[in-house]
PDB file of all heavy atoms in Angstrom:
ATOM      1  N   LYS A   1     201.779 214.699 101.352  1.00  0.00           N
ATOM      2  CA  LYS A   1     201.466 213.710 100.306  1.00  0.00           C
ATOM      3  C   LYS A   1     201.024 214.364  98.978  1.00  0.00           C
ATOM      4  O   LYS A   1     200.722 213.655  98.029  1.00  0.00           O
ATOM      5  CB  LYS A   1     200.378 212.759 100.815  1.00  0.00           C
ATOM      6  CG  LYS A   1     200.887 211.802 101.865  1.00  0.00           C
ATOM      7  CD  LYS A   1     199.777 210.835 102.290  1.00  0.00           C
ATOM      8  CE  LYS A   1     200.291 209.883 103.385  1.00  0.00           C
ATOM      9  NZ  LYS A   1     199.184 209.106 103.972  1.00  0.00           N
ATOM     10  N   MET A   2     200.935 215.669  98.961  1.00  0.00           N
ATOM     11  CA  MET A   2     200.516 216.335  97.725  1.00  0.00           C
ATOM     12  C   MET A   2     201.522 216.068  96.615  1.00  0.00           C
ATOM     13  O   MET A   2     202.737 216.117  96.843  1.00  0.00           O
ATOM     14  CB  MET A   2     200.343 217.840  97.969  1.00  0.00           C
ATOM     15  CG  MET A   2     199.127 218.215  98.824  1.00  0.00           C
ATOM     16  SD  MET A   2     198.981 219.970  99.105  1.00  0.00           S
ATOM     17  CE  MET A   2     198.610 220.580  97.432  1.00  0.00           C
ATOM     18  N   GLU A   3     201.035 215.767  95.429  1.00  0.00           N
ATOM     19  CA  GLU A   3     201.902 215.453  94.292  1.00  0.00           C
ATOM     20  C   GLU A   3     202.300 216.709  93.535  1.00  0.00           C
ATOM     21  O   GLU A   3     203.319 216.730  92.852  1.00  0.00           O
ATOM     22  CB  GLU A   3     201.181 214.461  93.402  1.00  0.00           C
ATOM     23  CG  GLU A   3     201.001 213.109  94.059  1.00  0.00           C
ATOM     24  CD  GLU A   3     200.057 212.178  93.318  1.00  0.00           C
ATOM     25  OE1 GLU A   3     199.780 212.439  92.136  1.00  0.00           O
ATOM     26  OE2 GLU A   3     199.574 211.216  93.923  1.00  0.00           O
ATOM     27  N   THR A   4     201.490 217.766  93.602  1.00  0.00           N
ATOM     28  CA  THR A   4     201.836 219.074  93.031  1.00  0.00           C
ATOM     29  C   THR A   4     201.442 220.104  94.090  1.00  0.00           C
ATOM     30  O   THR A   4     200.729 219.808  95.028  1.00  0.00           O
ATOM     31  CB  THR A   4     201.103 219.331  91.699  1.00  0.00           C
ATOM     32  OG1 THR A   4     199.700 219.208  91.954  1.00  0.00           O
ATOM     33  CG2 THR A   4     201.521 218.347  90.619  1.00  0.00           C
ATOM     34  N   LYS A   5     201.916 221.308  93.893  1.00  0.00           N
ATOM     35  CA  LYS A   5     201.623 222.367  94.925  1.00  0.00           C
ATOM     36  C   LYS A   5     200.172 222.843  94.923  1.00  0.00           C
ATOM     37  O   LYS A   5     199.722 223.438  95.894  1.00  0.00           O
ATOM     38  CB  LYS A   5     202.611 223.583  94.679  1.00  0.00           C
ATOM     39  CG  LYS A   5     204.056 223.285  95.004  1.00  0.00           C
ATOM     40  CD  LYS A   5     204.877 224.541  94.913  1.00  0.00           C
ATOM     41  CE  LYS A   5     204.503 225.468  96.100  1.00  0.00           C
ATOM     42  NZ  LYS A   5     205.116 226.806  95.877  1.00  0.00           N
ATOM     43  N   TYR A   6     199.499 222.565  93.836  1.00  0.00           N
ATOM     44  CA  TYR A   6     198.067 222.942  93.757  1.00  0.00           C
ATOM     45  C   TYR A   6     197.301 221.775  93.211  1.00  0.00           C
ATOM     46  O   TYR A   6     197.589 221.269  92.127  1.00  0.00           O
ATOM     47  CB  TYR A   6     197.871 224.194  92.856  1.00  0.00           C
ATOM     48  CG  TYR A   6     196.477 224.561  92.598  1.00  0.00           C
ATOM     49  CD1 TYR A   6     195.593 224.892  93.641  1.00  0.00           C
ATOM     50  CD2 TYR A   6     195.959 224.576  91.291  1.00  0.00           C
ATOM     51  CE1 TYR A   6     194.282 225.225  93.396  1.00  0.00           C
ATOM     52  CE2 TYR A   6     194.658 224.916  91.013  1.00  0.00           C
ATOM     53  CZ  TYR A   6     193.802 225.243  92.071  1.00  0.00           C
ATOM     54  OH  TYR A   6     192.512 225.582  91.833  1.00  0.00           O
ATOM     55  N   GLU A   7     196.290 221.340  93.949  1.00  0.00           N
ATOM     56  CA  GLU A   7     195.475 220.201  93.514  1.00  0.00           C
ATOM     57  C   GLU A   7     193.972 220.503  93.590  1.00  0.00           C
ATOM     58  O   GLU A   7     193.565 221.363  94.406  1.00  0.00           O
ATOM     59  CB  GLU A   7     195.763 218.984  94.411  1.00  0.00           C
ATOM     60  CG  GLU A   7     197.197 218.456  94.297  1.00  0.00           C
ATOM     61  CD  GLU A   7     197.492 217.239  95.188  1.00  0.00           C
ATOM     62  OE1 GLU A   7     196.765 217.020  96.165  1.00  0.00           O
ATOM     63  OE2 GLU A   7     198.439 216.502  94.816  1.00  0.00           O
ATOM     64  N   ILE A   8     193.221 219.811  92.765  1.00  0.00           N
ATOM     65  CA  ILE A   8     191.765 220.034  92.717  1.00  0.00           C
ATOM     66  C   ILE A   8     191.104 218.678  92.858  1.00  0.00           C
ATOM     67  O   ILE A   8     191.507 217.696  92.233  1.00  0.00           O
ATOM     68  CB  ILE A   8     191.360 220.645  91.350  1.00  0.00           C
ATOM     69  CG1 ILE A   8     191.990 222.047  91.159  1.00  0.00           C
ATOM     70  CG2 ILE A   8     189.837 220.727  91.213  1.00  0.00           C
ATOM     71  CD1 ILE A   8     191.902 222.541  89.731  1.00  0.00           C
ATOM     72  N   PHE A   9     190.019 218.652  93.641  1.00  0.00           N
ATOM     73  CA  PHE A   9     189.250 217.396  93.786  1.00  0.00           C
ATOM     74  C   PHE A   9     187.757 217.713  93.713  1.00  0.00           C
ATOM     75  O   PHE A   9     187.288 218.642  94.364  1.00  0.00           O
ATOM     76  CB  PHE A   9     189.570 216.710  95.105  1.00  0.00           C
ATOM     77  CG  PHE A   9     190.983 216.214  95.270  1.00  0.00           C
ATOM     78  CD1 PHE A   9     191.899 216.973  95.954  1.00  0.00           C
ATOM     79  CD2 PHE A   9     191.378 215.053  94.679  1.00  0.00           C
ATOM     80  CE1 PHE A   9     193.184 216.566  96.108  1.00  0.00           C
ATOM     81  CE2 PHE A   9     192.688 214.631  94.795  1.00  0.00           C
ATOM     82  CZ  PHE A   9     193.602 215.357  95.513  1.00  0.00           C
ATOM     83  N   ASN A  10     187.001 216.857  92.986  1.00  0.00           N
ATOM     84  CA  ASN A  10     185.534 216.883  92.982  1.00  0.00           C
ATOM     85  C   ASN A  10     185.105 216.165  94.269  1.00  0.00           C
ATOM     86  O   ASN A  10     185.605 215.102  94.605  1.00  0.00           O
ATOM     87  CB  ASN A  10     184.976 216.145  91.833  1.00  0.00           C
ATOM     88  CG  ASN A  10     185.002 216.948  90.538  1.00  0.00           C
ATOM     89  OD1 ASN A  10     185.133 218.175  90.558  1.00  0.00           O
ATOM     90  ND2 ASN A  10     184.957 216.226  89.398  1.00  0.00           N
ATOM     91  N   VAL A  11     184.111 216.756  94.947  1.00  0.00           N
ATOM     92  CA  VAL A  11     183.537 216.131  96.147  1.00  0.00           C
ATOM     93  C   VAL A  11     182.026 216.000  95.944  1.00  0.00           C
ATOM     94  O   VAL A  11     181.311 216.966  96.075  1.00  0.00           O
ATOM     95  CB  VAL A  11     183.868 216.928  97.403  1.00  0.00           C
ATOM     96  CG1 VAL A  11     183.323 216.159  98.632  1.00  0.00           C
ATOM     97  CG2 VAL A  11     185.361 217.147  97.558  1.00  0.00           C
ATOM     98  N   GLY A  12     181.612 214.831  95.596  1.00  0.00           N
ATOM     99  CA  GLY A  12     180.201 214.527  95.382  1.00  0.00           C
ATOM    100  C   GLY A  12     179.935 213.032  95.554  1.00  0.00           C
ATOM    101  O   GLY A  12     180.805 212.305  96.019  1.00  0.00           O
ATOM    102  N   THR A  13     178.750 212.618  95.154  1.00  0.00           N
ATOM    103  CA  THR A  13     178.453 211.194  95.234  1.00  0.00           C
ATOM    104  C   THR A  13     178.593 210.488  93.908  1.00  0.00           C
ATOM    105  O   THR A  13     178.730 209.247  93.837  1.00  0.00           O
ATOM    106  CB  THR A  13     176.945 210.989  95.674  1.00  0.00           C
ATOM    107  OG1 THR A  13     176.088 211.481  94.614  1.00  0.00           O
ATOM    108  CG2 THR A  13     176.652 211.708  96.969  1.00  0.00           C
ATOM    109  N   GLY A  14     178.566 211.261  92.842  1.00  0.00           N
ATOM    110  CA  GLY A  14     178.597 210.633  91.484  1.00  0.00           C
ATOM    111  C   GLY A  14     177.258 210.134  90.999  1.00  0.00           C
ATOM    112  O   GLY A  14     177.147 209.536  89.962  1.00  0.00           O
ATOM    113  N   LYS A  15     176.223 210.427  91.796  1.00  0.00           N
ATOM    114  CA  LYS A  15     174.870 209.912  91.456  1.00  0.00           C
ATOM    115  C   LYS A  15     173.898 211.115  91.260  1.00  0.00           C
ATOM    116  O   LYS A  15     173.576 211.784  92.233  1.00  0.00           O
ATOM    117  CB  LYS A  15     174.341 209.015  92.566  1.00  0.00           C
ATOM    118  CG  LYS A  15     175.170 207.778  92.829  1.00  0.00           C
ATOM    119  CD  LYS A  15     174.721 207.034  94.031  1.00  0.00           C
ATOM    120  CE  LYS A  15     175.669 205.876  94.344  1.00  0.00           C
ATOM    121  NZ  LYS A  15     175.416 205.322  95.696  1.00  0.00           N
ATOM    122  N   PRO A  16     173.458 211.315  90.039  1.00  0.00           N
ATOM    123  CA  PRO A  16     172.509 212.474  89.804  1.00  0.00           C
ATOM    124  C   PRO A  16     171.134 212.186  90.344  1.00  0.00           C
ATOM    125  O   PRO A  16     170.648 211.070  90.193  1.00  0.00           O
ATOM    126  CB  PRO A  16     172.523 212.615  88.304  1.00  0.00           C
ATOM    127  CG  PRO A  16     172.878 211.246  87.736  1.00  0.00           C
ATOM    128  CD  PRO A  16     173.776 210.623  88.778  1.00  0.00           C
ATOM    129  N   VAL A  17     170.548 213.146  90.939  1.00  0.00           N
ATOM    130  CA  VAL A  17     169.174 213.073  91.452  1.00  0.00           C
ATOM    131  C   VAL A  17     168.416 214.316  90.999  1.00  0.00           C
ATOM    132  O   VAL A  17     168.965 215.442  91.142  1.00  0.00           O
ATOM    133  CB  VAL A  17     169.147 212.981  93.015  1.00  0.00           C
ATOM    134  CG1 VAL A  17     167.721 213.002  93.542  1.00  0.00           C
ATOM    135  CG2 VAL A  17     169.881 211.719  93.463  1.00  0.00           C
ATOM    136  N   SER A  18     167.222 214.174  90.457  1.00  0.00           N
ATOM    137  CA  SER A  18     166.503 215.333  90.011  1.00  0.00           C
ATOM    138  C   SER A  18     165.823 216.086  91.194  1.00  0.00           C
ATOM    139  O   SER A  18     165.617 215.503  92.235  1.00  0.00           O
ATOM    140  CB  SER A  18     165.419 214.959  88.995  1.00  0.00           C
ATOM    141  OG  SER A  18     164.264 214.424  89.646  1.00  0.00           O
ATOM    142  N   VAL A  19     165.483 217.340  90.957  1.00  0.00           N
ATOM    143  CA  VAL A  19     164.847 218.120  92.002  1.00  0.00           C
ATOM    144  C   VAL A  19     163.537 217.443  92.410  1.00  0.00           C
ATOM    145  O   VAL A  19     163.266 217.329  93.592  1.00  0.00           O
ATOM    146  CB  VAL A  19     164.595 219.552  91.513  1.00  0.00           C
ATOM    147  CG1 VAL A  19     163.730 220.363  92.458  1.00  0.00           C
ATOM    148  CG2 VAL A  19     165.931 220.273  91.239  1.00  0.00           C
ATOM    149  N   LEU A  20     162.772 217.037  91.472  1.00  0.00           N
ATOM    150  CA  LEU A  20     161.492 216.397  91.752  1.00  0.00           C
ATOM    151  C   LEU A  20     161.664 215.079  92.533  1.00  0.00           C
ATOM    152  O   LEU A  20     160.893 214.784  93.484  1.00  0.00           O
ATOM    153  CB  LEU A  20     160.718 216.179  90.427  1.00  0.00           C
ATOM    154  CG  LEU A  20     159.190 216.040  90.541  1.00  0.00           C
ATOM    155  CD1 LEU A  20     158.574 217.231  91.227  1.00  0.00           C
ATOM    156  CD2 LEU A  20     158.594 215.897  89.101  1.00  0.00           C
ATOM    157  N   GLU A  21     162.671 214.331  92.116  1.00  0.00           N
ATOM    158  CA  GLU A  21     162.977 213.043  92.799  1.00  0.00           C
ATOM    159  C   GLU A  21     163.361 213.300  94.260  1.00  0.00           C
ATOM    160  O   GLU A  21     162.954 212.580  95.177  1.00  0.00           O
ATOM    161  CB  GLU A  21     164.070 212.325  92.081  1.00  0.00           C
ATOM    162  CG  GLU A  21     164.385 210.926  92.696  1.00  0.00           C
ATOM    163  CD  GLU A  21     165.570 210.236  92.032  1.00  0.00           C
ATOM    164  OE1 GLU A  21     166.039 210.724  90.971  1.00  0.00           O
ATOM    165  OE2 GLU A  21     166.027 209.272  92.616  1.00  0.00           O
ATOM    166  N   LEU A  22     164.149 214.407  94.480  1.00  0.00           N
ATOM    167  CA  LEU A  22     164.568 214.709  95.852  1.00  0.00           C
ATOM    168  C   LEU A  22     163.363 215.034  96.749  1.00  0.00           C
ATOM    169  O   LEU A  22     163.272 214.592  97.888  1.00  0.00           O
ATOM    170  CB  LEU A  22     165.547 215.873  95.860  1.00  0.00           C
ATOM    171  CG  LEU A  22     166.316 216.029  97.151  1.00  0.00           C
ATOM    172  CD1 LEU A  22     167.397 214.975  97.372  1.00  0.00           C
ATOM    173  CD2 LEU A  22     166.951 217.463  97.309  1.00  0.00           C
ATOM    174  N   VAL A  23     162.447 215.774  96.181  1.00  0.00           N
ATOM    175  CA  VAL A  23     161.187 216.155  96.933  1.00  0.00           C
ATOM    176  C   VAL A  23     160.444 214.895  97.274  1.00  0.00           C
ATOM    177  O   VAL A  23     159.998 214.642  98.422  1.00  0.00           O
ATOM    178  CB  VAL A  23     160.336 217.143  96.158  1.00  0.00           C
ATOM    179  CG1 VAL A  23     158.999 217.365  96.850  1.00  0.00           C
ATOM    180  CG2 VAL A  23     161.064 218.434  95.918  1.00  0.00           C
ATOM    181  N   THR A  24     160.281 213.971  96.304  1.00  0.00           N
ATOM    182  CA  THR A  24     159.533 212.747  96.518  1.00  0.00           C
ATOM    183  C   THR A  24     160.235 211.858  97.549  1.00  0.00           C
ATOM    184  O   THR A  24     159.587 211.269  98.414  1.00  0.00           O
ATOM    185  CB  THR A  24     159.403 211.988  95.183  1.00  0.00           C
ATOM    186  OG1 THR A  24     158.787 212.826  94.211  1.00  0.00           O
ATOM    187  CG2 THR A  24     158.554 210.708  95.339  1.00  0.00           C
ATOM    188  N   ARG A  25     161.568 211.738  97.447  1.00  0.00           N
ATOM    189  CA  ARG A  25     162.344 210.948  98.402  1.00  0.00           C
ATOM    190  C   ARG A  25     162.187 211.499  99.795  1.00  0.00           C
ATOM    191  O   ARG A  25     162.111 210.762 100.786  1.00  0.00           O
ATOM    192  CB  ARG A  25     163.824 210.936  97.987  1.00  0.00           C
ATOM    193  CG  ARG A  25     164.155 210.076  96.751  1.00  0.00           C
ATOM    194  CD  ARG A  25     164.280 208.613  97.028  1.00  0.00           C
ATOM    195  NE  ARG A  25     165.406 208.224  97.822  1.00  0.00           N
ATOM    196  CZ  ARG A  25     166.568 207.864  97.307  1.00  0.00           C
ATOM    197  NH1 ARG A  25     166.805 207.899  96.013  1.00  0.00           N
ATOM    198  NH2 ARG A  25     167.548 207.461  98.121  1.00  0.00           N
ATOM    199  N   PHE A  26     162.196 212.855  99.904  1.00  0.00           N
ATOM    200  CA  PHE A  26     162.061 213.494 101.231  1.00  0.00           C
ATOM    201  C   PHE A  26     160.666 213.102 101.857  1.00  0.00           C
ATOM    202  O   PHE A  26     160.602 212.768 103.041  1.00  0.00           O
ATOM    203  CB  PHE A  26     162.188 215.024 101.113  1.00  0.00           C
ATOM    204  CG  PHE A  26     162.013 215.732 102.450  1.00  0.00           C
ATOM    205  CD1 PHE A  26     163.077 215.934 103.273  1.00  0.00           C
ATOM    206  CD2 PHE A  26     160.775 216.186 102.863  1.00  0.00           C
ATOM    207  CE1 PHE A  26     162.916 216.603 104.498  1.00  0.00           C
ATOM    208  CE2 PHE A  26     160.574 216.782 104.078  1.00  0.00           C
ATOM    209  CZ  PHE A  26     161.648 216.993 104.883  1.00  0.00           C
ATOM    210  N   GLU A  27     159.661 213.187 101.037  1.00  0.00           N
ATOM    211  CA  GLU A  27     158.303 212.893 101.505  1.00  0.00           C
ATOM    212  C   GLU A  27     158.189 211.450 101.997  1.00  0.00           C
ATOM    213  O   GLU A  27     157.660 211.156 103.046  1.00  0.00           O
ATOM    214  CB  GLU A  27     157.219 213.134 100.371  1.00  0.00           C
ATOM    215  CG  GLU A  27     157.050 214.598 100.042  1.00  0.00           C
ATOM    216  CD  GLU A  27     156.008 214.809  98.921  1.00  0.00           C
ATOM    217  OE1 GLU A  27     155.954 213.920  98.000  1.00  0.00           O
ATOM    218  OE2 GLU A  27     155.316 215.801  98.961  1.00  0.00           O
ATOM    219  N   LYS A  28     158.737 210.518 101.239  1.00  0.00           N
ATOM    220  CA  LYS A  28     158.672 209.129 101.578  1.00  0.00           C
ATOM    221  C   LYS A  28     159.574 208.795 102.814  1.00  0.00           C
ATOM    222  O   LYS A  28     159.141 208.029 103.727  1.00  0.00           O
ATOM    223  CB  LYS A  28     159.169 208.234 100.409  1.00  0.00           C
ATOM    224  CG  LYS A  28     158.142 208.118  99.299  1.00  0.00           C
ATOM    225  CD  LYS A  28     158.611 207.212  98.210  1.00  0.00           C
ATOM    226  CE  LYS A  28     157.630 207.096  97.051  1.00  0.00           C
ATOM    227  NZ  LYS A  28     158.183 206.396  95.869  1.00  0.00           N
ATOM    228  N   ALA A  29     160.735 209.361 102.883  1.00  0.00           N
ATOM    229  CA  ALA A  29     161.636 209.072 103.987  1.00  0.00           C
ATOM    230  C   ALA A  29     161.103 209.596 105.319  1.00  0.00           C
ATOM    231  O   ALA A  29     161.359 209.018 106.368  1.00  0.00           O
ATOM    232  CB  ALA A  29     162.998 209.703 103.720  1.00  0.00           C
ATOM    233  N   ASN A  30     160.339 210.685 105.289  1.00  0.00           N
ATOM    234  CA  ASN A  30     159.887 211.343 106.478  1.00  0.00           C
ATOM    235  C   ASN A  30     158.365 211.250 106.723  1.00  0.00           C
ATOM    236  O   ASN A  30     157.890 211.649 107.811  1.00  0.00           O
ATOM    237  CB  ASN A  30     160.307 212.806 106.504  1.00  0.00           C
ATOM    238  CG  ASN A  30     161.822 212.949 106.606  1.00  0.00           C
ATOM    239  OD1 ASN A  30     162.417 212.567 107.600  1.00  0.00           O
ATOM    240  ND2 ASN A  30     162.431 213.483 105.559  1.00  0.00           N
ATOM    241  N   GLY A  31     157.620 210.686 105.791  1.00  0.00           N
ATOM    242  CA  GLY A  31     156.220 210.532 105.952  1.00  0.00           C
ATOM    243  C   GLY A  31     155.469 211.865 106.066  1.00  0.00           C
ATOM    244  O   GLY A  31     154.530 211.982 106.803  1.00  0.00           O
ATOM    245  N   VAL A  32     155.935 212.840 105.314  1.00  0.00           N
ATOM    246  CA  VAL A  32     155.299 214.155 105.324  1.00  0.00           C
ATOM    247  C   VAL A  32     155.066 214.592 103.870  1.00  0.00           C
ATOM    248  O   VAL A  32     155.681 214.108 102.967  1.00  0.00           O
ATOM    249  CB  VAL A  32     156.186 215.222 106.047  1.00  0.00           C
ATOM    250  CG1 VAL A  32     156.277 214.909 107.506  1.00  0.00           C
ATOM    251  CG2 VAL A  32     157.568 215.328 105.435  1.00  0.00           C
ATOM    252  N   LYS A  33     154.159 215.558 103.767  1.00  0.00           N
ATOM    253  CA  LYS A  33     153.840 216.108 102.454  1.00  0.00           C
ATOM    254  C   LYS A  33     154.591 217.440 102.252  1.00  0.00           C
ATOM    255  O   LYS A  33     154.706 218.248 103.169  1.00  0.00           O
ATOM    256  CB  LYS A  33     152.349 216.323 102.270  1.00  0.00           C
ATOM    257  CG  LYS A  33     151.608 215.061 101.880  1.00  0.00           C
ATOM    258  CD  LYS A  33     151.869 214.732 100.419  1.00  0.00           C
ATOM    259  CE  LYS A  33     151.411 213.349 100.052  1.00  0.00           C
ATOM    260  NZ  LYS A  33     152.101 212.809  98.839  1.00  0.00           N
ATOM    261  N   VAL A  34     155.030 217.650 101.031  1.00  0.00           N
ATOM    262  CA  VAL A  34     155.682 218.952 100.674  1.00  0.00           C
ATOM    263  C   VAL A  34     154.912 219.524  99.521  1.00  0.00           C
ATOM    264  O   VAL A  34     155.128 219.151  98.336  1.00  0.00           O
ATOM    265  CB  VAL A  34     157.152 218.751 100.298  1.00  0.00           C
ATOM    266  CG1 VAL A  34     157.813 220.082  99.946  1.00  0.00           C
ATOM    267  CG2 VAL A  34     157.943 218.064 101.440  1.00  0.00           C
ATOM    268  N   PRO A  35     153.978 220.447  99.804  1.00  0.00           N
ATOM    269  CA  PRO A  35     153.242 221.096  98.686  1.00  0.00           C
ATOM    270  C   PRO A  35     154.248 221.779  97.717  1.00  0.00           C
ATOM    271  O   PRO A  35     155.125 222.517  98.207  1.00  0.00           O
ATOM    272  CB  PRO A  35     152.331 222.149  99.407  1.00  0.00           C
ATOM    273  CG  PRO A  35     152.297 221.704 100.806  1.00  0.00           C
ATOM    274  CD  PRO A  35     153.557 221.000 101.095  1.00  0.00           C
ATOM    275  N   HIS A  36     154.107 221.527  96.431  1.00  0.00           N
ATOM    276  CA  HIS A  36     155.061 222.133  95.483  1.00  0.00           C
ATOM    277  C   HIS A  36     154.360 222.463  94.177  1.00  0.00           C
ATOM    278  O   HIS A  36     153.312 221.890  93.848  1.00  0.00           O
ATOM    279  CB  HIS A  36     156.267 221.242  95.259  1.00  0.00           C
ATOM    280  CG  HIS A  36     155.925 219.846  94.837  1.00  0.00           C
ATOM    281  ND1 HIS A  36     155.598 218.828  95.758  1.00  0.00           N
ATOM    282  CD2 HIS A  36     155.875 219.285  93.606  1.00  0.00           C
ATOM    283  CE1 HIS A  36     155.386 217.714  95.085  1.00  0.00           C
ATOM    284  NE2 HIS A  36     155.503 217.929  93.781  1.00  0.00           N
ATOM    285  N   LYS A  37     154.932 223.400  93.461  1.00  0.00           N
ATOM    286  CA  LYS A  37     154.421 223.802  92.151  1.00  0.00           C
ATOM    287  C   LYS A  37     155.589 224.083  91.206  1.00  0.00           C
ATOM    288  O   LYS A  37     156.684 224.373  91.630  1.00  0.00           O
ATOM    289  CB  LYS A  37     153.582 225.061  92.287  1.00  0.00           C
ATOM    290  CG  LYS A  37     154.308 226.257  92.738  1.00  0.00           C
ATOM    291  CD  LYS A  37     153.415 227.470  92.922  1.00  0.00           C
ATOM    292  CE  LYS A  37     154.195 228.646  93.454  1.00  0.00           C
ATOM    293  NZ  LYS A  37     153.398 229.851  93.776  1.00  0.00           N
TER     294      LYS A  37
END
């Protein structure tokens, strides 16, 4: 089904998340603290 002999695809969610937000989400999702600086 390839349309050309060489193809490129992005594989992601399309939703940006900051490093700090990821740490906070991890803490909330798992009920644990992650000491960070």
